[in-house]
Amino acid sequence: MLDFVKRRSINEELARLASKDGFTIQGITKSEFIRQAFASRGMKMPTSNTSVMKLIHDFFDEAKAKTVQDIAKRSKEGHSVSLTLDEWTSVSNKRYMNINIHFADGAMINLGLIPISGSLPAEKIVALVKSAVEGFGLKPNDVFGATTDGAAVMIKFGKSSGYMHQLCYNHGLHLAVCDVLYKNVPNELIPQDDEESDDDYDDSDEEYENEDNVISDAGLYRSSFSVTLKQIRKVIRIFRASPVKNALLQEKISKVFGKSLKLLLDVRTRWNSTVTMLERFLKVWKCIDETLEDLGQKDFHLTKKDVESIQNLMSALQPIKLSSEALGRRDANLLTAEGSLSFLFTKLKDQNTCIATELYDAILKRIGERRNKELVSVMKFLNNKTTVTCAELPVLTRSQIFKFIKDIFLKAITGITVDLFRARPILLLNRS
């Protein structure tokens, strides 16, 4: 017996072509192949752009109505709601705000991209979020908390919104690495490339906070990494810019490794790509050295000290990369984050190198700025038997935890007696 799967409607198919596959409305309408594919399924596709667009809008209205019903059902069942939001800029330089709704059972609903025009102060973000959640049948008071990145405007949004606000840990890791590798390095110590920056590497510092360049022992130490990284990128660009030179290099690499290995260039806005770049570079360095010598471009040398420094840098960045991946998991929460951070701090302390120590201090500072001590303390208290303790990060005392829980209930629930709140800590104590 055949199992028949319900076919998607023509409205949904057209919406998928436009949103998921990236076809323009005119491209969909004019494509004979798409038209024939619809006809083979017994669907007659409109011949005008306006009609195709109308079907897509009709599907949006249907999908939104179903989403509103789903949210209303979950709200009646008592599921708490939280938000994640972030600003996004398209390649055409258009700005949008993306908002996700999260439920206590792990379900997530994306509310779509909201176009942004003009400046975006915190007050405007609050208004955008309020309008978006109300458009899907939620009241602002139904939202318990929100998670955002650590931009100054988002910090102000968290204070203005009235939500329980949590800043992104991964954003903090990113800034901590940038603090160590890219900040406080005197420009005159870093060689300047004559070439344009590669498409895969953004050499500007616009995304980082501006700080005065202070020459210190730590700054001079960091400058050695910056000089080496600059030189490595310059060598990689030599081969990426010339197919002839790259062919000579790949010939030598194939003889050693039995296959070609492309040189990789890191992206400063994705610091973890630096680990991948350095791993590949060190792996094929002897082949690069021989090729540069054959080409008469023997102007870059890696000393034993340089290799040791790069290996120390790689060793320090690898646990940060692992922790970042763990923090980015869909099922990650504040408790699993504590475990990831505990692992990271332990690994960096065990390495006992200058770069690992600097990264340790920078991460501790950045995470400390973003960590919601109250929420973490309550979650640890309620799950004390299964929680990994991160000794470097502080928690509330038991009396402070009880006061915080009381404040949460007073804010979230009306018409409840004080005696119930006095009883609540007793229940929590029994669970511990």
Side-chain angles (χ1 to χ4, degrees):
M1 182 177 179
L2 295 176
D3 293 326
F4 292 95
V5 179
K6 183 180 178 181
R7 287 188 176 182
R8 293 192 286 260
S9 66
I10 186 173
N11 298 22
E12 183 174 356
E13 293 288 6
L14 290 172
R16 284 176 174 271
L17 286 172
S19 61
K20 188 175 181 179
D21 299 327
F23 284 90
T24 63
I25 302 303
Q26 186 174 359
I28 295 172
T29 307
K30 300 300 181 183
S31 173
E32 285 297 324
F33 177 80
I34 293 176
R35 188 172 298 280
Q36 291 174 5
F38 274 90
S40 67
R41 296 188 177 189
M43 300 177 182
K44 185 177 180 180
M45 197 177 77
T47 57
S48 70
N49 294 345
T50 304
S51 299
V52 170
M53 198 66 193
K54 183 180 183 305
L55 292 179
I56 294 175
H57 284 162
D58 289 343
F59 174 73
F60 169 78
D61 293 336
E62 295 171 10
K64 183 176 180 180
K66 290 180 181 178
T67 302
V68 170
Q69 291 176 2
D70 185 24
I71 292 175
K73 180 182 177 182
R74 290 177 175 276
S75 296
K76 288 181 180 179
E77 293 173 351
H79 290 282
S80 59
V81 175
S82 61
L83 305 176
T84 54
L85 55 147
D86 194 16
E87 183 186 339
W88 176 74
T89 304
S90 69
V91 292
S92 58
N93 210 27
K94 294 181 179 179
R95 299 167 67 201
Y96 300 89
M97 178 67 71
N98 182 55
I99 302 177
N100 298 314
I101 294 179
H102 300 264
F103 296 93
D105 60 355
M108 184 195 78
I109 296 176
N110 182 265
L111 302 187
L113 296 176
I114 304 172
I116 299 172
S117 59
S119 61
L120 190 66
E123 295 77 14
K124 189 173 180 179
I125 298 176
V126 173
L128 282 175
V129 172
K130 179 181 177 181
S131 176
V133 297
E134 287 180 345
F136 282 82
L138 284 172
K139 298 177 182 177
N141 292 337
D142 294 333
V143 179
F144 178 77
T147 301
T148 69
D149 64 21
V153 68
M154 288 300 182
I155 295 175
K156 188 175 180 181
F157 158 79
K159 295 177 180 178
S160 304
S161 64
Y163 304 148
M164 190 72 66
H165 188 216
Q166 173 63 52
L167 296 172
C168 177
Y169 282 172
N170 253 332
H171 187 242
L173 288 183
H174 168 76
L175 292 178
V177 174
C178 293
D179 288 343
V180 174
L181 296 186
Y182 303 117
K183 281 188 178 180
N184 296 338
V185 180
N187 291 330
E188 62 270 18
L189 295 178
I190 304 176
Q192 301 298 319
D193 295 340
D194 296 330
E195 312 172 38
E196 293 287 335
S197 62
D198 193 279
D199 289 341
D200 292 335
Y201 175 71
D202 181 4
D203 201 36
S204 70
D205 288 324
E206 293 179 359
E207 67 269 31
Y208 306 125
E209 302 166 11
N210 294 322
E211 290 188 0
D212 295 331
N213 286 331
V214 180
I215 301 179
S216 61
D217 291 341
L220 290 172
Y221 180 72
R222 284 196 292 271
S223 72
S224 66
F225 287 104
S226 296
V227 170
T228 304
L229 288 173
K230 276 273 188 179
Q231 291 176 322
I232 287 175
R233 294 182 187 115
K234 186 172 183 178
V235 170
I236 292 174
R237 290 194 185 103
I238 290 174
F239 293 101
R240 288 169 66 94
S242 173
V244 175
K245 295 176 182 178
N246 187 61
L248 294 174
L249 173 62
Q250 294 302 326
E251 183 179 344
K252 294 183 181 295
I253 291 175
S254 297
K255 288 181 180 179
V256 176
F257 299 98
K259 60 180 180 180
S260 61
L261 294 172
K262 178 183 175 183
L263 294 183
L264 304 174
L265 197 61
D266 68 339
V267 185
R268 183 175 294 185
T269 52
R270 297 176 182 86
W271 61 265
N272 52 5
S273 61
T274 301
V275 181
T276 307
M277 178 187 74
L278 295 177
E279 286 175 342
R280 177 62 55 85
F281 187 86
L282 286 180
K283 184 174 183 179
V284 300
W285 165 242
K286 291 184 179 179
C287 299
I288 294 174
D289 192 44
E290 293 175 6
T291 306
L292 290 173
E293 187 173 358
D294 293 343
L295 294 171
Q297 294 184 330
K298 190 63 176 176
D299 57 349
F300 177 73
H301 302 273
L302 271 186
T303 65
K304 184 177 180 180
K305 185 177 180 180
D306 289 333
V307 173
E308 182 180 350
S309 296
I310 293 173
Q311 289 174 339
N312 287 339
L313 176 60
M314 286 171 52
S315 298
L317 289 178
Q318 282 170 342
I320 302 177
K321 184 178 179 180
L322 291 174
S323 297
S324 177
E325 292 170 352
L327 292 171
R329 287 172 54 95
R330 185 175 289 273
D331 59 349
N333 56 44
L334 290 177
L335 288 181
T336 61
E338 289 288 301
S340 299
L341 293 172
S342 177
F343 161 82
L344 173 57
F345 289 137
T346 300
K347 289 295 182 182
L348 291 177
K349 284 192 295 185
D350 289 346
Q351 289 181 26
N352 197 29
T353 61
C354 292
I355 186 64
T357 300
E358 285 199 56
L359 285 168
Y360 173 92
D361 293 337
I363 292 171
L364 188 61
K365 175 179 177 292
R366 289 291 188 175
I367 294 298
E369 294 170 349
R370 284 155 176 75
R371 185 169 175 267
N372 193 320
K373 183 171 64 174
E374 291 79 10
L375 278 179
V376 173
S377 299
V378 171
M379 293 185 71
K380 280 188 170 186
F381 182 73
L382 296 176
N383 299 271
N384 64 330
K385 295 181 180 179
T386 58
T387 301
V388 177
T389 300
C390 188
E392 290 80 1
L393 300 172
V395 293
L396 299 180
T397 63
R398 182 164 295 197
S399 60
Q400 291 173 327
I401 290 174
F402 294 159
K403 182 180 182 303
F404 178 71
I405 293 174
K406 177 181 176 180
D407 292 341
I408 291 176
F409 274 83
L410 282 172
K411 182 178 179 181
I413 303 173
T414 58
I416 191 165
T417 64
V418 177
D419 289 338
L420 276 177
F421 288 113
R422 290 175 177 168
R424 182 63 180 173
I426 297 175
L427 296 176
L428 297 178
L429 282 171
N430 290 337
R431 291 191 62 177
S432 64

